[in-house]
Amino acid sequence: MALHPDRLFPTDAATRGIARALYETVADLPIVSPHGHTDPRWWATNEAFSDPATLFVTPDHYVTRMLVSQGVSFEALGIGQGAETDPRAIWRTFASNFHLFAGTPSKLWIEHALENVFGFSERLQSETADAAYERIQSVLQEDRFRPHGLYDRFNIEVIATTDGALDDLQWHRQIRESAWHGRVVPTYRPDAVTDPDQPGFADNLAKLAEVSGMSTGTWAGYLDAHRARRAVFRELGATATDHGHATPRTADMPQNEAASLYDRARTGRLGTGEAELFRAQMLTEMARMSAEDGMVMQLHCGSHRNHSRSVLADYGRDRGFDIPVPVSFTEALKPMLDAVGLEPQLRVILFTLDETTYTRELAPLAGAWPSLVLGPPWWFHDSFEGIRRYRQQVTETAGFYNTAGFNDDTRAITSIQARHDVARRTDCAFLAELVTSHRMEEDEAFAIAQDLAAGLARKAYRLG
Amino acid sequence: MALHPDRLFPTDAATRGIARALYETVADLPIVSPHGHTDPRWWATNEAFSDPATLFVTPDHYVTRMLVSQGVSFEALGIGQGAETDPRAIWRTFASNFHLFAGTPSKLWIEHALENVFGFSERLQSETADAAYERIQSVLQEDRFRPHGLYDRFNIEVIATTDGALDDLQWHRQIRESAWHGRVVPTYRPDAVTDPDQPGFADNLAKLAEVSGMSTGTWAGYLDAHRARRAVFRELGATATDHGHATPRTADMPQNEAASLYDRARTGRLGTGEAELFRAQMLTEMARMSAEDGMVMQLHCGSHRNHSRSVLADYGRDRGFDIPVPVSFTEALKPMLDAVGLEPQLRVILFTLDETTYTRELAPLAGAWPSLVLGPPWWFHDSFEGIRRYRQQVTETAGFYNTAGFNDDTRAITSIQARHDVARRTDCAFLAELVTSHRMEEDEAFAIAQDLAAGLARKAYRLG
Amino acid sequence: MALHPDRLFPTDAATRGIARALYETVADLPIVSPHGHTDPRWWATNEAFSDPATLFVTPDHYVTRMLVSQGVSFEALGIGQGAETDPRAIWRTFASNFHLFAGTPSKLWIEHALENVFGFSERLQSETADAAYERIQSVLQEDRFRPHGLYDRFNIEVIATTDGALDDLQWHRQIRESAWHGRVVPTYRPDAVTDPDQPGFADNLAKLAEVSGMSTGTWAGYLDAHRARRAVFRELGATATDHGHATPRTADMPQNEAASLYDRARTGRLGTGEAELFRAQMLTEMARMSAEDGMVMQLHCGSHRNHSRSVLADYGRDRGFDIPVPVSFTEALKPMLDAVGLEPQLRVILFTLDETTYTRELAPLAGAWPSLVLGPPWWFHDSFEGIRRYRQQVTETAGFYNTAGFNDDTRAITSIQARHDVARRTDCAFLAELVTSHRMEEDEAFAIAQDLAAGLARKAYRLG
């Protein structure tokens, strides 16, 4: 195997040379990771990971869904009742099916981690499964393979986690109070208390009252509870909120109507379509708060979560059975934007799983509204071809400076560096093509490469 | 003219070299053609084709629609009342307008057939029309230009036709009973008896009763009639069914409600939207049967058939006036998938005319559900750019092994080899780019090239 | 800076060589500009432009929206109450933010104009702002920088403006009556009198009666008024109409129902959805007139105009806050096409902001219906990547001859040559790739390059 130093670069020699030169100036820049799903507990406790299967296979839904799609059972991957419990057996299943990942970003990320993190550069397959397993297992207890070791080896400057509004943030407090030099910040994700369709919504509102010290029995109190929680998150370093809605619909009802809608939501008396309306109103309320407190608002929408009833029932959430649906932002965002879209402090970062919105809606929106920024390619699109399509489709209308750089969005800790590396290589390849087709001069490309690798993320998320 | 040996390969020398090397290993592999529209009568009778116009022009809606779009009349192409009857005149019209096909796959297919099948390698145009006509006409009676000759020259391993549920399959029986070594299998396409909007639906149900020997007066009997017909098709070698619906909507109603809906369908008393609901329910019923009998289910949807009322009235169906509409699979397939999507025997191959579904829905669906496979680029997308977009957009999420290889989908017999050749070249070009950008190693590319050329189609359609 | 002679050409040496050779044969062809938004007053009066800011910045919504998206105020760009009035200050704001345009077509167009029109080839930035300003300002009064001078230097053969149905066309008359050799023709854009949602619709109908001399108090009179205005436009050289609708919906109601709908529209008594229905009916009526009088009908739809309420209120229309929405043509156009789509004189040119319609709908429609032609990439897509995607996605189904060549669609007079140059280069690059991948022979590419540069536009718009 052995990672090739020119991977992902254009084949044309002149263009490859420029891509390589650009990449060399950004390869070792610090990693700014403003959005992701690592567990704050890891960073607080610095505990060692137990085994290769737990590290690479079982929790990574990119990996498990692909194996399941080809007939491997969840149980064989350590998931569900009566599942395989031997990590070596799980690893062997994974290794012997690794050829299924040919052409996928998972393959690039995993091979990068195996080689660069663990020094294992043979091809992963049945024949090498045990050797790889042992190589990884033999070092997991060492400091440099624990979270803090990886933080330093990956040259992370700052990393954000994603945390529920009700979370006590104990791990974040512990990190803050520790002597460790790492910068790990929370992100305010209030879906459990803004989405009436979430299980236990009424209970969640009660808990929100408890943790915020504000009564959530009224609309005004409920909004104050959000303000209080946002303040707590900010004290622990948070600069952003995140909203995972099925659709980007927003609303801006008169406050008395919103209050009455909230009463119905709180007491379980919403009519048809009113849960969606409440979520829509809450996006505008969150934007209003962001315009006041300066927290950057992220909008992740367009996924039909848990597409298989059986998989959800038997194996739980986040198993790779989340499937995108068509999305349109133009009409959906207008109420929120008409309310606060020109406020100087507001910044909203938009993510999409529906690539048709890149040229049709997102680039035109971000290329006009000063409050809107385009998030990097998300989830299925966080890949060589995905990033390339994004730049090709977004840049001509929105330029580079209305985009938010890169974020890794990952819960797979060993893949953090690999993902940023893929993004940096792909962006440098894109810039190199602009240079050799004389759409950009070389010195401009070098400057923009810096921004794409870290500067834009820092700026977009106010992490400077 | 003369077909260039490097056509469709990348221009970069190193990448072209790898593409060529890959192609050399698959160029002569047998053709597995699991889905198409050749006439079973051809294979049964081995009659010679009458003339070049009948072979290349009149029945090929890719050809006729393009000529019509530029002002040629259907009549001049031998179609409609008072149409031209002289095949040479039709051929001349075609040849003198052949420049209209610049940049289209039809041009590649036709030139491939002219040169490789008929040994005519001049450019087709007014000046060469007669020479081409005579060249073709002079050999059509020879054995090697008849269906069986083409079967052997094209190195076809198996070819499927598409046959109505009511078809008596006489030609398939005759093929089976003959001494000919070719493998031609039918495909069960029951639209005429599952779609209440089809003309003569009630009559069709009566005929279904007749040919199946099952009463179609009840829901249970109607389903049994399908089971019986499917069994007959299987006896004649069928491994697949095919469903041409306007939308991919599925439903899974309680059986008593489905029975009552069927009664209304049968007796012409469906309310608004109920024909669509019945089709939706029938997709789930067909999937249930496939989970039992193992027939692979193909879903072709998203075409607005017969977009011109006049063209339909005056010239009939399949004249190139079928225009795609937006499609979404995610919500639409969920009822069927929740019903049987995890059944081990079920396999559903999905086709689309709406390329936006590649990254947004189809690759995520096929990359998770074990029963779902992505069909190859269909119809307008069965072309160099179309196949390339498909691989670029599908592979990173679904890999190669959740795709069904290639099928030619053609009624134009002389184009069969040409279409597989274009697909093989385009896939090899794609793999070569993965190699030179170091996303794949060379030996992996050689293995996958084999699968893409024939192995995946064989496996997906259970034709091994 | 200095424009590179090989800009936008492929990097591969062989392909670049062919692209360059193709481009050399079309670079100096006359410009046929059948659709745009230059002010007819310019062409009539030949007045000098006042200053660089008025020429390049304030009226160009591509430019202002990008600056606003990055926090520059409209006021600083000379727009709105209390706006900056010093053109040099506006120019400095523009120049110091010019790096924001990296990777956009605006950058290419502006640099092309600065260098080729004004001989300024330094990079535009704070440090060079004044030098550029002075260079431009010093020559604006010279003949060759006035409209007629630019017309000749750009080698314009014909240019169309876009004019309301109520316009008195005085500037067009004045051009006609003058000794100037330029060919400037109007285009009939009747939105103000076909869209009941337009402000002042009833007044507009009254004015239509006045200018046409036909009573608009009845449906028949209203249609006659259109006929009369179309005739007047034709007398002044118009060959086309243009229709800017939110959606492509068409309708073909019985005439008595249409008459009654018109009465309700005229008297402000339309019910919900009836304004849309009236617009839909009017597209069919306009098509019927086109089938009679031979005016080519352009359909521009799918933009949500004035997406920001505040921007509209404070700064007016056409400020870059027009955002596309999803569009579908297939069902929408069917009523019109069933009515007149096979009429030999009808020609309808379709434009889209939703690129998903290229392969899904527009290429199949134009590749079948003889009356339909695809317009060039529009607005956000009139760029290197946009034109490239268009050719890659459209050609395989529609060929080249069902497309309408290029139009610049611009109100920025200095960018006219630059836009055609970008389109010619991009098309030659595309053709060169067809040649080196052996999808086209070289002599075919040379012929098609001529058509794409000017021939197809001339033919599509009947400007021959």
Side-chain angles (χ1 to χ4, degrees):
Chain A
M1 197 177 76
L3 298 172
H4 196 285
D6 282 341
R7 63 193 182 282
L8 307 184
F9 292 159
T11 50
D12 171 68
T15 316
R16 176 166 288 197
I18 295 168
R20 191 191 292 134
L22 290 166
Y23 174 71
E24 277 166 12
T25 66
V26 301
D28 299 326
L29 285 184
I31 284 178
V32 175
S33 175
H35 175 73
H37 299 274
T38 56
D39 190 337
R41 188 176 185 282
W42 298 340
W43 306 113
T45 65
N46 199 31
E47 277 173 17
F49 296 98
S50 63
D51 61 81
T54 305
L55 194 55
F56 278 100
V57 185
T58 312
D60 186 341
H61 58 67
Y62 289 76
V63 167
T64 53
R65 68 158 181 78
M66 177 64 94
L67 297 172
V68 166
S69 80
Q70 283 289 308
V72 176
S73 70
F74 276 111
E75 286 75 8
L77 303 171
I79 299 164
Q81 284 216 318
E84 177 60 63
T85 54
D86 177 7
R88 187 184 289 261
I90 295 168
W91 181 262
R92 283 177 179 162
T93 297
F94 169 58
S96 64
N97 284 288
F98 193 62
H99 64 283
L100 298 177
F101 294 91
T104 71
S106 291
K107 182 168 193 255
L108 295 182
W109 299 333
I110 290 165
E111 290 183 344
H112 186 285
L114 289 177
E115 180 165 329
N116 279 18
V117 179
F118 293 101
F120 182 86
S121 57
E122 286 177 79
R123 181 177 294 178
L124 191 60
Q125 50 193 348
S126 296
E127 293 79 356
T128 60
D130 283 358
Y133 189 89
E134 279 148 29
R135 168 78 203 152
I136 300 166
Q137 188 65 67
S138 69
V139 298
L140 281 178
Q141 299 296 321
E142 295 179 21
D143 274 354
R144 61 199 193 98
F145 295 93
R146 291 171 183 253
H148 292 183
L150 295 173
Y151 186 97
D152 289 342
R153 290 168 71 193
F154 290 170
N155 194 18
I156 295 174
E157 175 180 307
V158 56
I159 187 166
T161 63
T162 304
D163 312 83
L166 305 174
D167 195 292
D168 63 10
L169 303 177
Q170 63 151 314
W171 303 115
H172 280 282
R173 277 180 220 288
Q174 193 168 318
I175 295 164
R176 282 263 156 162
E177 289 158 10
S178 77
W180 181 50
H181 61 84
R183 183 175 175 198
V184 179
V185 301
T187 301
Y188 187 65
R189 173 102 169 208
D191 301 351
V193 291
T194 57
D195 177 2
D197 286 335
Q198 293 255 341
F201 182 66
D203 289 350
N204 293 345
L205 292 182
K207 276 181 223 146
L208 178 61
E210 202 179 302
V211 296
S212 69
M214 305 281 169
S215 162
T216 56
T218 66
W219 173 239
Y222 167 72
L223 295 180
D224 280 342
H226 276 290
R227 285 188 192 97
R229 293 304 295 157
R230 293 166 68 106
V232 169
F233 274 66
R234 280 200 306 285
E235 279 161 28
L236 289 164
T239 66
T241 72
D242 186 22
H243 307 273
H245 285 206
T247 79
R249 184 173 163 199
T250 65
D252 187 24
M253 309 165 73
Q255 285 294 306
N256 61 331
E257 291 179 24
S260 146
L261 180 66
Y262 174 68
D263 276 347
R264 293 199 295 286
R266 191 175 54 83
T267 53
R269 293 177 297 122
L270 289 174
T272 306
E274 287 199 332
E276 170 75 353
L277 180 59
F278 185 74
R279 289 189 293 268
Q281 179 67 26
M282 284 311 297
L283 285 182
T284 303
E285 299 300 340
M286 289 290 117
R288 256 194 275 274
M289 291 185 202
S290 280
E292 282 168 23
D293 66 20
M295 293 180 85
V296 176
M297 186 173 169
Q298 297 169 91
L299 190 48
H300 285 92
C301 57
S303 176
H304 183 121
R305 302 278 173 174
N306 307 304
H307 192 252
S308 167
R309 199 167 49 200
S310 301
V311 170
L312 176 63
D314 297 346
Y315 309 108
R317 303 176 60 83
D318 294 326
R319 294 303 182 200
F321 278 69
D322 302 328
I323 311 292
V325 293
V327 161
S328 180
F329 291 89
T330 305
E331 311 287 352
L333 295 183
K334 185 167 163 53
M336 179 185 81
L337 290 169
D338 271 336
V340 289
L342 298 174
E343 290 296 318
Q345 274 237 81
L346 180 65
R347 179 167 302 146
V348 182
I349 303 182
L350 301 171
F351 293 82
T352 194
L353 297 173
D354 181 348
E355 292 179 304
T356 69
T357 59
Y358 285 160
T359 67
R360 190 181 60 215
E361 305 178 26
L362 292 175
L365 283 164
W369 287 94
S371 53
L372 297 184
V373 177
L374 250 70
W378 179 32
W379 202 334
F380 303 104
H381 311 313
D382 170 14
S383 58
F384 175 75
E385 300 284 357
I387 296 172
R388 191 176 160 72
R389 278 196 296 274
Y390 171 88
R391 290 286 172 214
Q392 286 177 333
Q393 295 181 18
V394 154
T395 307
E396 292 187 321
T397 292
F400 291 100
Y401 295 100
N402 287 303
T403 66
F406 182 70
N407 68 52
D408 55 72
D409 193 28
T410 193
R411 61 194 74 223
I413 190 169
T414 53
S415 77
I416 290 174
Q417 189 183 45
R419 289 175 187 234
H420 285 266
D421 189 65
V422 166
R424 289 172 182 187
R425 287 174 178 276
T426 310
D427 281 339
C428 289
F430 178 70
L431 290 170
E433 285 173 19
L434 294 186
V435 171
T436 49
S437 60
H438 306 291
R439 285 177 276 170
M440 178 175 284
E441 289 184 87
E442 237 180 282
D443 66 326
E444 295 174 298
F446 277 94
I448 291 172
Q450 297 282 316
D451 288 331
L452 298 183
L456 285 173
R458 217 180 266 128
K459 184 178 155 219
Y461 284 86
R462 296 174 175 154
L463 284 165
Chain B
M1 196 176 79
L3 298 172
H4 196 285
D6 282 340
R7 63 193 182 281
L8 306 185
F9 292 159
T11 50
D12 171 69
T15 316
R16 177 166 287 196
I18 294 168
R20 192 190 291 133
L22 289 167
Y23 174 71
E24 278 166 11
T25 67
V26 300
D28 299 325
L29 286 184
I31 284 178
V32 176
S33 175
H35 174 74
H37 299 275
T38 55
D39 190 338
R41 187 175 186 284
W42 298 340
W43 307 114
T45 64
N46 200 30
E47 278 172 17
F49 296 99
S50 63
D51 61 81
T54 305
L55 194 56
F56 278 101
V57 184
T58 312
D60 186 340
H61 58 68
Y62 289 77
V63 167
T64 54
R65 66 158 182 79
M66 177 64 95
L67 297 171
V68 166
S69 81
Q70 284 289 308
V72 175
S73 70
F74 277 111
E75 286 76 7
L77 302 171
I79 299 164
Q81 285 217 315
E84 177 61 62
T85 55
D86 176 6
R88 187 183 290 261
I90 295 168
W91 180 262
R92 282 176 180 163
T93 297
F94 169 58
S96 65
N97 284 287
F98 192 62
H99 64 284
L100 299 176
F101 295 91
T104 72
S106 292
K107 182 169 194 255
L108 295 182
W109 300 332
I110 290 165
E111 290 183 344
H112 186 284
L114 289 177
E115 180 166 330
N116 279 17
V117 180
F118 293 100
F120 182 86
S121 56
E122 287 178 79
R123 181 177 294 177
L124 192 60
Q125 52 193 348
S126 297
E127 294 79 355
T128 60
D130 283 358
Y133 189 88
E134 280 148 27
R135 168 78 202 149
I136 299 166
Q137 189 64 66
S138 69
V139 296
L140 281 178
Q141 300 295 323
E142 295 180 19
D143 273 354
R144 63 200 192 98
F145 295 93
R146 292 172 182 252
H148 291 184
L150 294 174
Y151 186 98
D152 289 341
R153 290 168 70 192
F154 290 169
N155 194 16
I156 295 174
E157 175 179 307
V158 56
I159 188 165
T161 63
T162 304
D163 311 84
L166 305 174
D167 196 292
D168 63 10
L169 303 178
Q170 63 151 313
W171 302 116
H172 280 283
R173 277 179 219 289
Q174 192 169 319
I175 295 165
R176 282 263 156 162
E177 288 159 10
S178 77
W180 181 50
H181 61 84
R183 183 175 175 199
V184 179
V185 301
T187 301
Y188 187 65
R189 172 102 169 206
D191 302 351
V193 290
T194 58
D195 178 2
D197 286 335
Q198 293 256 341
F201 181 66
D203 289 350
N204 294 343
L205 293 182
K207 276 181 224 147
L208 178 62
E210 201 179 303
V211 295
S212 69
M214 305 280 168
S215 161
T216 55
T218 66
W219 174 238
Y222 167 72
L223 295 180
D224 279 341
H226 276 290
R227 285 188 193 96
R229 293 304 296 156
R230 293 167 68 107
V232 169
F233 274 67
R234 279 200 307 286
E235 279 161 29
L236 289 164
T239 66
T241 72
D242 186 21
H243 307 273
H245 285 206
T247 79
R249 185 173 162 198
T250 66
D252 186 25
M253 308 166 72
Q255 285 296 306
N256 61 331
E257 292 179 24
S260 145
L261 181 65
Y262 174 68
D263 276 347
R264 292 199 295 286
R266 190 175 53 82
T267 53
R269 293 177 298 121
L270 289 174
T272 307
E274 287 199 332
E276 170 75 353
L277 179 59
F278 184 75
R279 290 189 292 268
Q281 180 67 27
M282 284 312 297
L283 285 183
T284 303
E285 299 300 340
M286 290 289 116
R288 256 193 276 275
M289 291 184 202
S290 279
E292 282 169 23
D293 66 20
M295 292 181 86
V296 176
M297 185 174 170
Q298 298 169 91
L299 189 49
H300 286 92
C301 58
S303 177
H304 182 122
R305 301 276 173 176
N306 307 305
H307 192 252
S308 167
R309 199 168 48 202
S310 302
V311 170
L312 176 63
D314 296 345
Y315 309 108
R317 303 176 59 83
D318 294 326
R319 293 305 181 198
F321 278 68
D322 302 328
I323 312 292
V325 292
V327 161
S328 180
F329 292 89
T330 307
E331 311 286 354
L333 295 183
K334 186 167 162 53
M336 178 186 82
L337 290 170
D338 272 335
V340 288
L342 299 174
E343 291 295 318
Q345 274 237 82
L346 180 65
R347 179 166 302 146
V348 182
I349 303 182
L350 301 171
F351 293 81
T352 194
L353 296 174
D354 181 348
E355 292 179 303
T356 70
T357 59
Y358 284 161
T359 68
R360 189 180 61 214
E361 306 178 26
L362 293 176
L365 283 164
W369 287 95
S371 52
L372 297 183
V373 177
L374 249 70
W378 178 34
W379 202 335
F380 304 104
H381 311 314
D382 171 14
S383 58
F384 175 75
E385 300 284 357
I387 296 172
R388 190 176 161 72
R389 277 196 296 274
Y390 171 87
R391 291 284 172 215
Q392 286 178 332
Q393 295 182 19
V394 153
T395 308
E396 292 188 322
T397 292
F400 291 99
Y401 296 100
N402 287 303
T403 65
F406 182 71
N407 69 53
D408 55 71
D409 193 29
T410 194
R411 63 193 73 221
I413 190 169
T414 54
S415 78
I416 290 174
Q417 188 183 45
R419 289 174 188 236
H420 285 265
D421 189 65
V422 165
R424 288 172 182 187
R425 287 173 178 276
T426 310
D427 281 338
C428 288
F430 177 71
L431 290 170
E433 286 174 18
L434 294 186
V435 171
T436 49
S437 60
H438 306 291
R439 286 177 275 170
M440 178 175 283
E441 289 184 88
E442 240 181 279
D443 67 327
E444 297 173 298
F446 277 93
I448 292 172
Q450 297 282 316
D451 288 330
L452 298 183
L456 285 172
R458 218 179 265 128
K459 185 178 155 219
Y461 284 86
R462 296 173 175 155
L463 285 165
Chain C
M1 197 175 78
L3 298 173
H4 196 287
D6 282 340
R7 62 192 183 281
L8 306 185
F9 292 160
T11 51
D12 171 69
T15 317
R16 177 166 288 196
I18 294 167
R20 191 191 292 134
L22 290 167
Y23 173 73
E24 276 166 12
T25 66
V26 300
D28 299 324
L29 286 184
I31 284 178
V32 176
S33 175
H35 175 74
H37 299 273
T38 55
D39 189 339
R41 188 176 185 282
W42 298 341
W43 306 114
T45 65
N46 198 31
E47 277 173 18
F49 296 98
S50 64
D51 61 81
T54 304
L55 194 55
F56 279 101
V57 184
T58 312
D60 186 340
H61 58 67
Y62 288 78
V63 167
T64 54
R65 68 158 181 78
M66 177 64 95
L67 297 171
V68 166
S69 81
Q70 283 289 307
V72 175
S73 70
F74 276 112
E75 285 76 7
L77 303 171
I79 299 164
Q81 284 217 315
E84 177 61 60
T85 54
D86 176 7
R88 186 184 290 260
I90 294 168
W91 180 263
R92 283 177 179 162
T93 297
F94 169 58
S96 65
N97 284 289
F98 192 62
H99 65 283
L100 298 177
F101 295 92
T104 71
S106 292
K107 183 170 194 251
L108 295 181
W109 298 333
I110 290 165
E111 290 183 344
H112 186 283
L114 289 177
E115 181 166 328
N116 279 17
V117 180
F118 293 100
F120 182 86
S121 57
E122 287 178 78
R123 181 178 294 177
L124 191 60
Q125 51 192 347
S126 296
E127 294 78 355
T128 59
D130 283 359
Y133 189 89
E134 279 148 28
R135 168 77 202 150
I136 300 166
Q137 189 66 68
S138 69
V139 296
L140 281 178
Q141 299 296 320
E142 294 180 19
D143 274 354
R144 63 201 190 99
F145 296 92
R146 292 172 182 250
H148 291 185
L150 294 174
Y151 186 97
D152 289 342
R153 290 168 71 192
F154 291 169
N155 194 17
I156 295 174
E157 174 179 309
V158 56
I159 186 164
T161 63
T162 304
D163 312 84
L166 305 175
D167 196 291
D168 62 10
L169 303 177
Q170 63 152 313
W171 304 116
H172 281 282
R173 276 180 219 289
Q174 194 167 317
I175 295 164
R176 281 262 155 161
E177 289 158 10
S178 76
W180 180 50
H181 61 82
R183 183 174 176 200
V184 180
V185 301
T187 302
Y188 187 64
R189 172 103 169 207
D191 301 351
V193 291
T194 57
D195 177 2
D197 287 334
Q198 293 254 342
F201 181 66
D203 288 351
N204 294 344
L205 294 181
K207 275 180 225 147
L208 178 62
E210 203 180 302
V211 296
S212 69
M214 305 280 169
S215 162
T216 55
T218 65
W219 173 238
Y222 167 72
L223 295 179
D224 280 341
H226 277 291
R227 284 187 194 98
R229 293 304 296 155
R230 294 166 66 106
V232 170
F233 274 66
R234 280 201 306 285
E235 280 160 27
L236 289 164
T239 66
T241 72
D242 186 21
H243 306 273
H245 284 207
T247 79
R249 184 173 162 199
T250 65
D252 186 25
M253 308 165 72
Q255 285 295 308
N256 61 331
E257 291 179 25
S260 144
L261 181 66
Y262 174 68
D263 276 346
R264 292 199 295 286
R266 191 176 54 84
T267 54
R269 293 177 296 121
L270 289 174
T272 307
E274 288 198 331
E276 171 74 354
L277 179 60
F278 185 74
R279 290 188 293 269
Q281 179 67 26
M282 284 311 297
L283 286 182
T284 303
E285 299 300 340
M286 289 289 117
R288 256 194 275 273
M289 292 185 201
S290 280
E292 283 169 21
D293 66 21
M295 292 181 85
V296 176
M297 186 173 170
Q298 298 169 90
L299 189 48
H300 286 91
C301 57
S303 177
H304 182 122
R305 302 277 173 176
N306 307 304
H307 192 251
S308 167
R309 198 166 50 201
S310 301
V311 170
L312 176 62
D314 297 345
Y315 308 108
R317 303 176 60 83
D318 294 326
R319 292 305 181 198
F321 278 70
D322 301 328
I323 312 292
V325 293
V327 161
S328 179
F329 291 88
T330 306
E331 311 287 353
L333 295 182
K334 185 166 163 53
M336 178 185 82
L337 291 169
D338 272 335
V340 288
L342 299 174
E343 290 295 318
Q345 274 238 80
L346 180 65
R347 178 166 303 146
V348 182
I349 303 182
L350 301 172
F351 293 81
T352 193
L353 296 173
D354 181 348
E355 291 178 303
T356 69
T357 59
Y358 284 160
T359 68
R360 190 182 60 215
E361 306 178 26
L362 292 175
L365 283 164
W369 286 94
S371 53
L372 297 183
V373 176
L374 249 71
W378 178 34
W379 202 334
F380 304 104
H381 311 313
D382 170 13
S383 59
F384 175 75
E385 301 284 358
I387 296 172
R388 191 175 160 73
R389 277 196 297 274
Y390 171 88
R391 291 285 172 214
Q392 286 177 332
Q393 295 181 20
V394 154
T395 308
E396 293 186 322
T397 292
F400 291 99
Y401 295 100
N402 287 303
T403 66
F406 181 70
N407 68 53
D408 54 71
D409 192 29
T410 193
R411 63 193 73 222
I413 189 168
T414 54
S415 77
I416 290 174
Q417 188 184 45
R419 289 175 188 234
H420 285 266
D421 188 65
V422 165
R424 289 171 181 188
R425 287 173 178 276
T426 309
D427 281 339
C428 288
F430 177 71
L431 291 170
E433 285 173 19
L434 295 186
V435 171
T436 49
S437 60
H438 306 290
R439 285 177 275 170
M440 178 174 283
E441 289 184 87
E442 239 181 280
D443 66 326
E444 296 174 298
F446 277 93
I448 291 172
Q450 296 283 316
D451 288 330
L452 299 184
L456 285 173
R458 217 180 266 129
K459 184 177 155 220
Y461 284 86
R462 295 172 175 156
L463 285 165

